[in-house]
Amino acid sequence: MSEASGSSYNSNYRGHVCDMDQCVLRTSLQLHNFGRRFYGCRHWKPGSDEHCKSFKWLDGIPCRRGAATAPIVIAKFTRLEAEAAMAKNNEMEARAMIANLIHMERVAKRSAEKARASLRMANARARKYQIALLMSWFLVAVLFIFSLGNREIGLRQMCLP
Ligand SMILES: [Zn+2]
């Protein structure tokens, strides 16, 4: 670390003054700097903004393994990204289909309710017609009986001496 500690970079962060003694040698896993080595603060943790971000590239000492692995990892990462995008697209399509089905179900329920209501109205009308038919038959019967009675009276009148 003696070569890098000559260049001074200090940052006062969260109660520690960061210098090369606080740093550890790391290898970058970022796509654009994959395999590049750097000195980074030992207090740093990946994916967190809470920690010291002091670092210094250690160019001139390339990591051969990192350089060999980078294209494979980048290709895999790209493929996974494409798969993730496709999966997300499929999920969105499925959601849209579900929403459409729910809408269609609601429409079908509404038209079924309408059909039921009109059936109820038709039944009520049919019942009214039945009652009207019975009443008319009853009236016909009453008129018939009444007319029979009238004929008897007429006959009796005719039989009078
Ligand atoms: Zn630090």
Side-chain angles (χ1 to χ4, degrees):
M1 251 188 241
S2 57
E3 62 208 318
S5 58
S7 57
S8 61
Y9 72 97
N10 296 333
S11 78
N12 200 332
Y13 190 89
R14 296 234 157 190
H16 75 271
V17 176
C18 201
D19 55 25
M20 289 313 292
D21 293 335
Q22 306 248 7
C23 289
V24 290
L25 189 59
R26 289 200 175 98
T27 306
S28 172
L29 298 175
Q30 300 285 316
L31 274 184
H32 48 283
N33 284 314
F34 197 93
R36 220 174 148 194
R37 303 216 282 175
F38 64 98
Y39 283 110
C41 179
R42 72 175 77 243
H43 301 291
W44 177 85
K45 279 177 188 169
S48 174
D49 290 333
E50 292 290 303
H51 299 275
C52 178
K53 287 178 179 171
S54 295
F55 81 99
K56 184 176 171 62
W57 290 116
L58 193 70
D59 286 325
I61 310 173
C63 175
R64 264 182 288 144
R65 195 157 172 240
T69 320
I72 299 164
V73 172
I74 288 168
K76 188 167 184 180
F77 185 81
T78 309
R79 202 180 64 235
L80 288 176
E81 239 181 6
E83 278 176 19
M86 203 187 281
K88 191 164 189 181
N89 196 33
N90 285 348
E91 190 200 340
M92 275 165 70
E93 272 176 23
R95 272 175 202 273
M97 274 170 72
I98 288 167
N100 196 28
L101 284 174
I102 287 169
H103 174 72
M104 277 166 71
E105 192 196 357
R106 237 177 259 153
V107 168
K109 265 187 193 168
R110 229 175 288 144
S111 55
E113 265 167 38
K114 267 187 205 167
R116 237 175 283 140
S118 56
L119 183 68
R120 236 176 285 134
M121 274 168 68
N123 279 345
R125 215 175 299 145
R127 225 170 295 134
K128 266 185 217 162
Y129 289 146
Q130 276 173 348
I131 289 165
L133 192 66
L134 280 174
M135 295 267 283
S136 67
W137 275 110
F138 180 71
L139 272 174
V140 166
V142 165
L143 281 173
F144 183 69
I145 289 162
F146 190 68
S147 70
L148 274 183
N150 273 354
R151 205 179 298 159
E152 260 174 41
I153 290 163
L155 281 171
R156 226 175 285 146
Q157 276 171 353
M158 277 168 76
C159 288
L160 282 171

